[in-house]
Amino acid sequence: MISIVVFPGSNCDRDLKVAIEKTLKKKVDMVWHKTANIKKSDMIFIPGGFSFGDHLRAGILATKSPAMREVERLSKKGVPIIGICNGFQILTECNLLPGILIKNRNPKFLCKSVNLKVDNNSIFTSSFKNNQIIKLPIAHSQGNYFADKKVLNSLEDNNQVIFRYCSAKGEINSNFNPNGSMNNIAGIINSSKNVLGLMPHPERAIDLTIQDDGILFFKSLKMYL
Amino acid sequence: MTKITKKLLSQHNLTEEEYQKILVILNRKPNLLELGIFSVMWSEHCSYKSTKKWLKTLPTKAPWVICGPGENAGVIDIGDNDALVFKMESHNHPSFIEPYQGAATGVGGIMRDVFTMGARPIANLNSLRFGEPKNSRTNYLINGVVSGIGDYGNCVGIPTVGGECFFHECYNNNILVNAMSVGLVKKNKIFYSAARGKSFPIIYVGAKTGRDGIHGATMASAEFDDDSSENRPQVQVGDPFTEKLLLEACLELMNTKAIVSIQDMGAAGLTSSSFEMASKGNKGIDLNIDKIPLREKGMTPYEIMLSETQERMLMVINPEYKKITSEIFNKWGLESVEVGRLNDTQQMKIFSKNKIQCNLPINDLVKNSPEYDRNSKKKSISVKYSSKKKDISIKESFKKIISNENFSNKRPLFSQYDFQVMADTILGPQESDSAVIRIHNTNKAIALTSDCNPIYCKADPFYGAMIAVAECWRNLCAVGAKPMAITDNLNFGNPEKDEIMYEIKESIRGIGVACSSLNFPVVSGNVSLYNETNGKSIYPTPVIGGVGLIKNYRKKATISLEENGKIFVIGKTYGHLDLSMYKKIVFNEETGQPPNLDLIQEKKNGNFIRNYIDKYNKELIGVHDISEGGIIISLAEMVIKCNLGVNIKVPPKKNKKKWLFGEDQSRYVVVVREKNCIEKVAKDAGVFIESIGSVKGKGLKIEKLFEISNKELINMNRKFFMDCFS
C-alpha cells in the first residue's frame, strides 16, 4: 500500500495517485490530514499544492496535522517518505529534511520545464544513470533552497543532494538556476536516506505525448518496492 | 422610513422611469433595502436591460448543446457521457481600480460558475487588454492582473493554459480582464439553479459575509471618472484557499443526493442568487437574514443583501440529507447554515429580528426587469493617421512588428501560471493556435482559444465580430479540433450613446451570422458595458471564447517546423493592408475596412485542415493560422518557437509588402514532409494552395529581400515581456 497525505489545499494529490497507479501498479490510500493512525504503508507521499493556502508560510500549518506525527514516526522506522513541491516545503518545516524553501530569487510564480542532474545513489533514483540529465516541470514561487554553511557542507559531503538544476549539457551555475537555490539544489534526501524532498514534479512527466522523464523516477521506486 | 429622493435614486443608478415601474409593481413605496435590491437586480450587469433584446437573436442550439445561455454556464455534449461546462466573464471595472484583487476574483467567480453546475474546472483562459505600454499605469496594471490571475488559479490547482494579451491606447483608462473557465462533468450529474421541493431548506455555505463589494454590480454598470479610484472598497477580495475548499466540498456533496439546486453568489451576491433560484423554480423564499454568517459586526440587512463577498454558495437541500451536508462542509472547515425555506408564494420575504424587512414579488422583479431598445446610429469614424514617413523598408517594418508588445513572446507572462497541474495539458500556452487539454483518462482532448481584433471591430463592428468568430473557429481547426461552441464576452462603452448602441447591435448581429454559418452556437456569455472614462469609450471588443473537440489527442497539430519541411499557404492571399498591424505599428494608421470574410471559404479551408491533420498526420509537421501581421509573422513565430530557419519565395507578380503583411482571412501556413500529397488532397478538396518555400538551416530568409538571424529575431521578440515583468 502506498499512502498520499491530503491536506486542505493540496492540489497535486490526484495527479500523484494517477501516476503511482499507472507506474507502480500499487493500491493508493488517500490519507486525510486529520488521520492519527497510518496503518501499514510501504511508502508515503506528501503532494504538491497550497496546504492551508500557504497561510503564514508555505508548509508550516501542515506540520500541525495529526497525520504528520505519523509520518515522523514511520520515517524513523525507515519507511520511504517523498515530498514534492509543497510536500518538500512541509518536510523541511517539520525538520524531516534540513534547510528551508524561501521565495524565488524573482519572487513571481514560475512554471516551466527545467534540466536536472541526477545523483543515482539513492533508492529514489537508482534507475537513472549517475549524473544523467533529465527534464521535469517545476511550478512554484517558494522553491529557493536555503541552508546555513554547515548544513550545506554536510549535505554535499554525504551526497544528499539528489537533484540539481543545470543546463541541457549539465553545467551547474546561476544561469541555469530558476529560483536562486543554494548550490542549484532541486532535491535532497535526509542523512538516513529514506526521506526525499524535491521541487520538480515527476508525476507530471509520465506521458510520452507530454514529458516522460518522470517514469524513471517511479521505476526506481518500483525497484525498491 | 428613508425618503426616496432623486439623489438616492441616482446613487442607486435607477432612472425616474425605472422608479415609476417599481411603484407600479409594488403598489407602494419601497423601503431602502427593497430599493437596493431593485437597483442591483435591474443593473445592467444583472438584467442585461440594454442588450437582452439583441442577445435573444443569437444562435444557441445544436444537437450537442445540452444547456444554452441563462444558467451559470453553457453545457455541451462531448460523447461517452462526458459534458463540458464553460463560460467567459469580465472583471474589467474592478481590475482597473485594484488589478490584483479584481483579476483574482474574476477567475474565482468564473470557476464557481462552472463548479456550481457540478463540473470540476479543468482549464482556465484569460483575454486581457491593456492601454499603451508608455501609459504610466499600464505596467502596474499588467503586473497586478497577471499575479492576481496566477495566484488564484495556481492555488486552486486549475491550469491556466492560454489566452490573449493585447495593448492599444483605447484601453488606457479602461482595461479588459475577461476570464474563461472550462469544466468537465458527467452528463447525468449536471446541477441547475432552479429551486425545487416543498418547503425545502436553503443553505448558505462558504465564506462569511463582509462589507466588501457592496454595489459592485452597480459600479460595473457605470462610467468611470477621475475619482473612480475612490471605488476601491467596492472591489471584492479573493481567497483562493476558501475557493479550493468550497470546490472540493461541493463536488463531494454532489456525489450524494443532498443538493436539489445550487447557485453561486456572484454579482449582487445573496440578492441575485436567491432571486434567480426562486424565479427559475417559480418559488417563494422566507429568508432569515439574522442567520447569515457575518465577518463584521453591525452589518445592516441592506449591506448583507448587497455584499459581494467571494467564495459563497446558496443551495436548496433535500431535508433528509441535512446531516451529511453539514458533515461534509465541516470536514472541509466551511460554514453551512440554514438561512431560509422555500414556499410556493413567489414572494421574497426577508426577516430580521422576527420582523419583515422586505417583501417583494420575485417574478415581477426578475422577469419584468426593464428591457430597452435604445437608439443607435452609426458615427462616421475620424481618420486616424499620424505618420508622414512612407519609405520604411520591409525589413525595418518587420522588425518593428516582431518587437512590438502585441507580438512579443509571452513566456514571462504565461510562466506565472501553473499550466501543467492536473497533468493533462497536452499543448500549453504558445505551442499552437489553441491550447489542448486531454479529457482525463481518455483519448479525447479539447481545444481552447479566445479571439477578437478590436481595430477591425471599431471600423466595422459587424465584420469585426464575424472575423472574431471566424478566427476562433480557425484557431480550433489549426490544432485539429472540431469547433463545438463559443462563449462570448461583449465589452463596450456606454449603451445610452447612439453610436455605442450601434456597435453593440452590429457586433451581436455579426456574431450571429458567423455562428449560424459555421454551426458554432453561443452557449454562454457575459456583457460588460460602460467601459468608458471621462466620456471616452473603449473600442468595441466582443471576445469570442471557443471550444473544440479532438477525438484522439495524438492526432493534433502544433506550430512546428522540421528541417527540409515544405511550406505551403492554404487559402488565397490578396494582400489586404487596411487596418492591419503593419499599418498600425509601422505608420500608426487605422483606416479603411477590415479584410473580406467569406464564411463558405472559411469553412472549406478549415475542414480541409482538420481532415489533413486527422488523415495525414504522419505527413504533417506543423500548422499555424495566419492572422494579425500576415504570413511573415506566422512564419517568424514558427522559426522562433523551433529555433530553425525558413527560406521563403514571394510568388512572382505579387506586391511583396501586401503579400507578406496582408491580413486576408481563412488562411493557414502548413508545413509537410512531402509535397505531392498535400497538393493532391487540396486539389481534390477544391482548396487554394500555394507553395512558398522550405525549412532550411536557421534564420528567417525572404529571398531577394532580407535575412534575419535567429539570435536577432529571438532577442527582438522577447524583449518587451521580459522587461515588463522584471
Side-chain angles (χ1 to χ4, degrees), chain A residues 155-225:
Chain A
L155 283 176
E156 296 289 1
D157 293 346
N158 296 320
N159 298 325
Q160 286 171 249
V161 179
I162 295 300
F163 296 101
R164 247 184 256 267
Y165 302 110
C166 67
S167 74
K169 290 177 191 150
E171 301 146 85
I172 293 166
N173 59 46
S174 65
N175 290 336
F176 304 102
N177 185 341
N179 52 25
S181 288
M182 286 181 151
N183 297 12
N184 282 38
I185 287 173
I188 54 168
I189 50 177
N190 64 346
S191 53
S192 322
K193 308 209 164 178
N194 70 320
V195 179
L196 167 71
L198 72 166
M199 288 314 292
H201 289 272
E203 80 279 13
R204 295 185 187 180
I206 55 153
D207 196 305
L208 285 170
T209 47
I210 310 175
Q211 290 182 77
D212 61 353
D213 279 349
I215 291 174
L216 283 175
F217 175 77
F218 288 100
K219 214 171 158 186
S220 311
L221 305 182
K222 196 167 185 182
M223 275 176 57
Y224 169 83
L225 292 166

Side-chain angles (χ1 to χ4, degrees), chain B residues 406-478:
Chain B
N406 283 324
F407 292 93
S408 179
N409 188 331
K410 295 181 186 65
R411 181 181 261 193
L413 185 159
F414 286 121
S415 67
Q416 295 178 52
Y417 305 150
D418 189 342
F419 51 85
Q420 294 172 320
V421 64
M422 299 184 95
D424 283 313
T425 304
I426 305 287
L427 297 174
Q430 301 195 108
E431 289 188 78
S432 52
D433 288 324
S434 299
V436 174
I437 310 300
R438 180 173 47 201
I439 299 300
H440 192 67
N441 228 348
T442 73
N443 282 328
K444 283 185 296 191
I446 53 165
L448 310 168
T449 178
S450 77
D451 298 283
C452 178
N453 180 327
I455 297 175
Y456 294 172
C457 292
K458 182 66 189 171
D460 186 333
F462 171 72
Y463 248 90
M466 279 214 302
I467 288 174
V469 174
E471 193 185 344
C472 174
W473 198 83
R474 202 177 309 141
N475 280 331
L476 296 173
C477 291

Side-chain angles (χ1 to χ4, degrees), chain B residues 558 560-562 564-566 617 619-623 671-673:
Chain B
T558 61
S560 296
L561 297 175
E562 211 176 88
N564 287 325
K566 314 284 181 284
N617 206 264
E619 282 296 316
L620 189 74
I621 296 168
V623 178
V671 186
V672 292
R673 301 210 159 83

